Amino acid sequence: MNAASSKSGSAKRGRKFDSLEQEVFLNLWRTYDRLKALEDEMFSQSGISAQQYNTLRLLRSVYPAGMPTLVLGSRLISRAPDMTRLLDKLEQRGLLVRHRPPENRRVVEVRLTPEGLQLVNKLDSAVRKCHEQQLGHLEEKSLQQLALLLKAARQPHEDSENLSLVDQ
Amino acid sequence: MNAASSKSGSAKRGRKFDSLEQEVFLNLWRTYDRLKALEDEMFSQSGISAQQYNTLRLLRSVYPAGMPTLVLGSRLISRAPDMTRLLDKLEQRGLLVRHRPPENRRVVEVRLTPEGLQLVNKLDSAVRKCHEQQLGHLEEKSLQQLALLLKAARQPHEDSENLSLVDQ
DNA sequence: GCAAGACAGTTGTCTTGACGTTTATTGTTT
DNA sequence: AAACAATAAACGTCAAGACAACTGTCTTGC
């Protein structure tokens, strides 16, 4: 079936991987896992999760306007199937408010409160420092190339409709 | 504080990212999430999770010998804090066996059964096809470069003691 | 040889993620 | 206008991940 595809079938790589594609994916997984561990540790000191932070950051980008729940969910970096409960917690802490506009009571508009805005602003420097710790050892050229390759890697698997923060 | 670091402080990138490092990490997250979705879908048809598959794959690499639980856990691609329960499920399905060697009853040796070996062998082609679908659109040169950059990105954050399958 | 400490797994508990179902609201059809 | 389908969000449930505390097993020092 793939005798013709010399690319992934080259017998030179004998050792641990069935294919170059597998090697790349496992490296992606491992690297994500290691870097996420650093981020998790940073966020745990702030009492907020990475998902929650990204939610607040996204809401800040339209502040003081709001955003419907589903739009918010589709624009997050990683898909979150239970937006409702994630927003519940942030609302309980007074970081955002929800309300149903009378002209279309199906949607729920989510807006950052001044307290939420203040918190996400306060976290910025810690987040930047964390990213610096994660990847600061790489040269600028490598970072740019890595970003490009990662975008190219997922490009065929993006819904063309829902573009997230990281898409151009 | 970082007026001197012209690298991440360059004002040219205004739009969405505080720094190049952040852009790379968010791209890493997003790309991992998208590619993992494909893998999850493939595995859901096999009634086994990616973590479980990697556990079996790792055990195959030493078959017919076994491996202590903790060593197994530290060599997985992503850390799994509840090895016990993960192994419980695989043992219940008859894919592996555990036993405590009398000379050191603290450790638990985990070994693949012939059934487990057969299953992981059967899954190989589906897994390879999935990785091909994930990343087959990239050229070999890009894939090699991506693997190199990913390794370099996590390198300072690896325990030098516990090297996983994806480390050289 | 016995108590203190280290080590390897296990168990309990709480939080998230995943996935299907339900409710409320609106638009459409007849 | 009533019935029907669609959409948006909420809810219920179950499995996975995270974290802490605990049990059983060596090892070491007195």
Side-chain angles (χ1 to χ4, degrees), chain A residues 76-132:
Chain A
L76 284 178
I77 310 294
S78 84
R79 75 227 123 95
D82 56 347
M83 264 294 114
T84 300
R85 277 172 281 223
L86 192 156
L87 294 177
D88 282 347
K89 273 162 212 141
L90 294 175
E91 188 179 29
Q92 279 164 26
R93 293 172 59 173
L95 302 175
L96 52 82
V97 290
R98 292 191 268 197
H99 91 287
R100 292 185 182 264
E103 66 274 15
N104 185 353
R105 289 185 42 76
R106 282 179 302 188
V107 309
V108 171
E109 280 276 327
V110 185
R111 253 181 335 104
L112 219 53
T113 61
E115 291 77 22
L117 180 65
Q118 195 183 349
L119 175 64
V120 66
N121 282 337
K122 212 190 73 182
L123 285 175
D124 273 351
S125 76
V127 172
R128 199 175 313 122
K129 210 178 296 177
C130 174
H131 290 139
E132 168 79 23

Side-chain angles (χ1 to χ4, degrees), chain B residues 133-146:
Chain B
Q133 190 199 347
Q134 287 174 319
L135 291 164
H137 59 289
L138 292 181
E139 308 207 358
E140 177 163 7
K141 254 189 86 173
S142 299
L143 289 171
Q144 284 168 347
Q145 199 154 28
L146 186 46

